[in-house]
Amino acid sequence: MSTTSPVAAVLSFAEASETVHRYCRNLKLPETELVALLHALNRVLAMPILADRDFPPFPRATRDGYAVRSTDVKNVPTTLRVVGQIKAGGNFNKVLNAGEAAEIMTGASAPSGADAVVMVEYTRLHDDKVEIQRSCSAGENIVPAGGEARAGQEMLPRGTCMGFAQIAVAAAVGQPVLKVYKHPKVAILSTGDEIVDATSTPGEHQIRNSNSYSLAAQVILAGGEPVQLPIAPDEPAALRKLMEEGLTADLLLLSGGVSMGKFDLVEQELARLGAKFFFTGVNIQPGKPVVFGEAGSVPFFGLPGNPISTMVTFDLFAQPVLQALGGSLPVRYPSAKAKLAKEIKTKIGLTRFLPAVLSGGLDVPQAALVAWQGSGDLRASAQANCYIVVPPDREVIAAGEMVTILLR
Ligand code: AMP
Ligand code: MG
């Protein structure tokens, strides 16, 4: 039987989110390991990446054309003497004097004396002379040596999550092996007498465990290593035993058993294990009964069992903690604005994160709610690619209004 929770604090979304972010700021950094460059994709850097030389290492031409002294091409058309050709990777040891031009290719080193490159499109070559048809200013089409970064300068800070652009940076500075943080281990514990494993045939009133799988997938995407525990029954001793096992991980995620039902035992049994609670509910929909706390020094979340509530509360609260446990710099919620395709009517009091489809091109992205049967509707959720965020003071949002969306 459930008892009232030891500390009951139902927060606003902003308060809960601040609680989570404050907790993240005080976490210890995880252990590190070395991985080959490409295996660092989606990993978190445990070292800063420094420029091993100036970037670019030489004044780099960014266009095919003619390297010139800009003062020579103030008045156009004008004709300059072509004194050589510079390929990318090539050496040109002469100084460019007044009245001279050098044919140059993109990526080649601009000769000393030259301070601009005139694009080939604005030139005409006659034997060893080139007619310049457009003037250009000092610096045009040349990035000076060190213009992007100086030797020794930080290119990527520690805590960066490595995407493809960051992998390119590490390659460019010649780092074939990177020090990254180890994946935090995340125990996943689904609770409920009605839940059976996804591989078994459920009885008439039973349902398959989808939450352990959605959570494991979310954990992997957020940089964790999921450990799926057996399903816990709604029975105190068995539930507590599995919780204890889960609390040997770096983070414990529970699903189900945090609502007001008689067999919602999660908070009660966590309390018996000496847990501290930071919040025991948030004024959001879906996911109002979400619980956040710590047992020993291990953070846990009790996520409501309705599948969409589980997904949303993971995204809003568990993901930032997981990222911080993984050594990541603070990450903001990936939000944007889109035009609401169809009116939303709701009730005031809760911040809502409603499954929606973001469509349209680059001009005016449109968002529309998916038709759903509430927070148990997996089919509707699988059609959604974002959530529309409805602030707690809005009852009606008209079609055409710009709304905040949270990408997922
Ligand atoms: P609860 O949060 O335990 O009250 O569960 C809320 C709803 O979510 C109920 O309809 C449960 O059957 C369902 N549910 C709970 N856990 C899971 C799970 N692991 N997989 C799928 N559905 C679940
Ligand atoms: Mg339950």
Short mmCIF file of all heavy atoms in Angstrom, two decimals, residues 191-195 234 255-259 263-264 305, ligand 2:
data_model
loop_
_atom_site.label_atom_id
_atom_site.label_comp_id
_atom_site.label_asym_id
_atom_site.label_seq_id
_atom_site.Cartn_x
_atom_site.Cartn_y
_atom_site.Cartn_z
N THR A 191 8.47 -0.82 -13.68
CA THR A 191 7.68 -1.43 -12.61
C THR A 191 6.24 -1.63 -13.07
O THR A 191 5.74 -0.91 -13.93
CB THR A 191 7.64 -0.53 -11.36
OG1 THR A 191 6.78 0.60 -11.62
CG2 THR A 191 9.02 -0.02 -10.98
N GLY A 192 5.59 -2.60 -12.49
CA GLY A 192 4.15 -2.80 -12.75
C GLY A 192 3.81 -4.27 -12.88
O GLY A 192 4.45 -4.99 -13.66
N ASP A 193 2.80 -4.71 -12.14
CA ASP A 193 2.37 -6.11 -12.20
C ASP A 193 1.83 -6.49 -13.58
O ASP A 193 1.81 -7.66 -13.93
CB ASP A 193 1.25 -6.34 -11.16
CG ASP A 193 1.81 -6.47 -9.75
OD1 ASP A 193 3.04 -6.67 -9.62
OD2 ASP A 193 1.02 -6.37 -8.80
N GLU A 194 1.36 -5.47 -14.32
CA GLU A 194 0.76 -5.77 -15.62
C GLU A 194 1.79 -5.86 -16.75
O GLU A 194 1.46 -6.19 -17.88
CB GLU A 194 -0.30 -4.71 -15.97
CG GLU A 194 0.21 -3.35 -16.48
CD GLU A 194 0.77 -2.41 -15.39
OE1 GLU A 194 1.26 -2.89 -14.36
OE2 GLU A 194 0.74 -1.18 -15.63
N ILE A 195 3.07 -5.54 -16.44
CA ILE A 195 4.07 -5.42 -17.49
C ILE A 195 4.79 -6.75 -17.69
O ILE A 195 5.25 -7.37 -16.73
CB ILE A 195 5.12 -4.34 -17.12
CG1 ILE A 195 4.43 -3.03 -16.69
CG2 ILE A 195 6.08 -4.10 -18.27
CD1 ILE A 195 3.56 -2.39 -17.72
N ASP A 234 4.70 -4.82 -8.44
CA ASP A 234 4.22 -3.82 -7.48
C ASP A 234 4.18 -4.46 -6.10
O ASP A 234 3.11 -4.64 -5.50
CB ASP A 234 2.83 -3.31 -7.89
CG ASP A 234 2.89 -2.52 -9.21
OD1 ASP A 234 3.85 -1.77 -9.42
OD2 ASP A 234 1.97 -2.69 -10.04
N SER A 255 10.47 3.42 -14.27
CA SER A 255 9.24 3.83 -14.94
C SER A 255 8.06 3.21 -14.23
O SER A 255 8.12 2.05 -13.83
CB SER A 255 9.28 3.47 -16.43
OG SER A 255 8.48 2.35 -16.70
N GLY A 256 7.01 4.01 -14.07
CA GLY A 256 5.79 3.55 -13.43
C GLY A 256 5.83 3.68 -11.93
O GLY A 256 6.88 3.95 -11.32
N GLY A 257 4.66 3.56 -11.33
CA GLY A 257 4.57 3.48 -9.87
C GLY A 257 4.79 4.78 -9.13
O GLY A 257 5.10 4.75 -7.94
N VAL A 258 4.66 5.93 -9.81
CA VAL A 258 4.86 7.20 -9.09
C VAL A 258 3.58 8.04 -9.01
O VAL A 258 3.61 9.17 -8.55
CB VAL A 258 6.01 8.06 -9.73
CG1 VAL A 258 7.35 7.45 -9.44
CG2 VAL A 258 5.80 8.27 -11.22
N SER A 259 2.46 7.46 -9.47
CA SER A 259 1.19 8.22 -9.41
C SER A 259 0.54 8.03 -8.05
O SER A 259 1.19 7.61 -7.10
CB SER A 259 0.26 7.75 -10.53
OG SER A 259 0.93 7.85 -11.76
N PHE A 263 -1.06 1.06 -5.62
CA PHE A 263 0.10 0.19 -5.83
C PHE A 263 1.27 0.95 -6.44
O PHE A 263 2.16 0.36 -7.03
CB PHE A 263 -0.32 -1.03 -6.66
CG PHE A 263 -1.39 -1.81 -5.96
CD1 PHE A 263 -2.72 -1.66 -6.32
CD2 PHE A 263 -1.07 -2.63 -4.89
CE1 PHE A 263 -3.73 -2.33 -5.64
CE2 PHE A 263 -2.08 -3.31 -4.20
CZ PHE A 263 -3.40 -3.17 -4.57
N ASP A 264 1.22 2.26 -6.33
CA ASP A 264 2.34 3.08 -6.79
C ASP A 264 3.31 3.22 -5.62
O ASP A 264 3.17 4.08 -4.76
CB ASP A 264 1.83 4.44 -7.28
CG ASP A 264 1.08 4.30 -8.60
OD1 ASP A 264 1.46 3.42 -9.40
OD2 ASP A 264 0.12 5.04 -8.83
N GLY A 305 4.69 6.00 -15.77
CA GLY A 305 4.75 4.84 -16.67
C GLY A 305 4.08 5.00 -18.01
O GLY A 305 4.37 4.24 -18.94
MG MG B 2 2.15 0.91 -12.38
#
